[in-house]
Amino acid sequence: MTEHHREADWFALTRKMRPLYDAQVRAGVAVCIDCHRPIVPGQRFAVGHRVSVKEGKARGWTKQQINDPSNLGPTHSARGGKGDGSRRCNEQGGGRIGGRARTTKQAEQKRRPDWRTW
Ligand SMILES: [Zn+2]
């Protein structure tokens, strides 16, 4: 119904909450609301709901209750900064996968069109 309005609200809210959690992360006291592990300084996070919007509605909560700071918290996110409210804890399994993109050498680019006649 008022999906758009709600999203605008949420956006404003995350922008308000983010600096708070950012300070917590930097102080090393932030805990992910999804996996309950610490969010270490430098790690990306998003603002998320402890009780999801869907679940909150199912419980008969008002929007205000759902978006109350007490129901919000930082969650690990690979897309930190977006603040879209989706809960994307990035720390399942605990271990960090050190996969990095390979750089491809392109030394193959030596060929030249033979435009010189001599
Ligand atoms: Zn987490």
Side-chain angles (χ1 to χ4, degrees), residues 32 34-37 75-76 89-91:
C32 174
D34 284 321
C35 71
H36 307 291
R37 291 204 193 97
T75 174
H76 291 113
C89 176
N90 206 26
E91 293 292 297

